[in-house]
Amino acid sequence: SSDLAKLETLNRNGLVMVDIRENLIRVTITDTTAHITHRFQWLNLWGKIVPGQSSYHISEDRKRVVLRLRKVHDTFAAGSWGSLLDVRTGRYTKQSVGWPGILCELQGAWRSGEEEPIEVVGHQVVWPEGSRDTLLVDEDTDTFKLCQAGDGDKVPAAEFGGFYERQSHKIQWEDGDSWSRIPGLVLYR
């Protein structure tokens, strides 16, 4: 999209996320200026991908995400590259989501106890060590869920419901944890 001329800056700041799996390609772009999250997803591609040998970069004109994909079966019989994204057995979705008011209020730096700052950037929660999880917002009830993908080792996949206490500037989580806003700490992305 032409309104994404700042794509390279967003990418440098971790706001372009590309998830490449054997049967899935997902690109998420968090535009912190326009308060919009763009999501592109191809599910069940016509050919399987080798994630470890695939990558992405930003185009020279800084307006496109360029995917470099390695097919599992890279032969003539496997079909042309053009047919790879032909999702005959799956689907392609594109979504641009404006941030609800509650999500705009949650943007910024937070702290749980004496931990290092936790940052909310768009629909992402950025943990002190750099990993990222997702906030799903229910605009009607002003509540949200933190969806932790887990790491398959120490951090389990889990969901936690929460709500924002505006008067105390705290996020309260259903597991009893609470996050306090860190006043004056502005993290630019």
Side-chain angles (χ1 to χ4, degrees):
S1 172
S2 62
D3 62 334
L4 294 177
K6 58 188 164 251
L7 198 53
E8 184 176 26
T9 301
L10 293 174
N11 186 52
R12 269 196 317 267
N13 287 297
L15 300 175
V16 175
M17 298 181 70
V18 178
D19 186 11
I20 300 173
R21 301 181 189 193
E22 191 173 84
N23 289 308
L24 167 79
I25 299 170
R26 183 182 299 131
V27 178
T28 304
I29 302 168
T30 303
D31 186 336
T32 54
T33 306
H35 293 166
I36 296 174
T37 301
H38 304 278
R39 293 187 184 104
F40 307 87
Q41 179 172 290
W42 293 266
L43 179 62
N44 292 329
L45 304 170
W46 189 243
K48 293 186 183 208
I49 300 296
V50 181
Q53 296 179 21
S54 299
S55 62
Y56 81 98
H57 67 273
I58 304 303
S59 63
E60 285 185 29
D61 64 6
R62 299 176 184 161
K63 293 184 180 179
R64 289 180 272 294
V65 175
V66 179
L67 301 172
R68 291 182 181 226
L69 305 173
R70 168 76 63 192
K71 291 192 283 186
V72 169
H73 303 288
D74 200 1
T75 64
F76 179 76
S80 70
W81 275 103
S83 68
L84 176 72
L85 296 180
D86 178 357
V87 285
R88 295 175 221 183
T89 58
R91 65 182 186 269
Y92 165 72
T93 54
K94 176 186 174 194
Q95 188 181 40
S96 291
V97 181
W99 301 353
I102 185 68
L103 187 61
C104 290
E105 290 183 67
L106 297 176
Q107 301 302 298
W110 298 86
R111 177 169 282 134
S112 173
E114 296 302 314
E115 292 183 20
E116 292 294 313
I118 301 161
E119 186 181 10
V120 176
V121 182
H123 288 84
Q124 300 178 38
V125 173
V126 183
W127 299 101
E129 74 281 357
S131 66
R132 295 166 188 257
D133 289 313
T134 305
L135 274 180
L136 299 178
V137 176
D138 184 330
E139 201 170 353
D140 296 330
T141 63
D142 256 8
T143 59
F144 39 88
K145 267 188 202 165
L146 171 62
C147 301
Q148 290 183 324
D151 65 3
D153 185 20
K154 296 178 184 174
V155 179
E159 290 186 0
F160 301 95
F163 63 95
Y164 180 43
E165 289 184 347
R166 287 177 177 88
Q167 66 282 4
S168 63
H169 304 288
K170 289 188 176 195
I171 297 175
Q172 295 293 336
W173 296 102
E174 66 186 7
D175 67 351
D177 192 14
S178 69
W179 296 357
S180 301
R181 186 174 294 283
I182 303 174
L185 180 58
V186 180
L187 303 167
Y188 292 101
R189 291 193 181 269

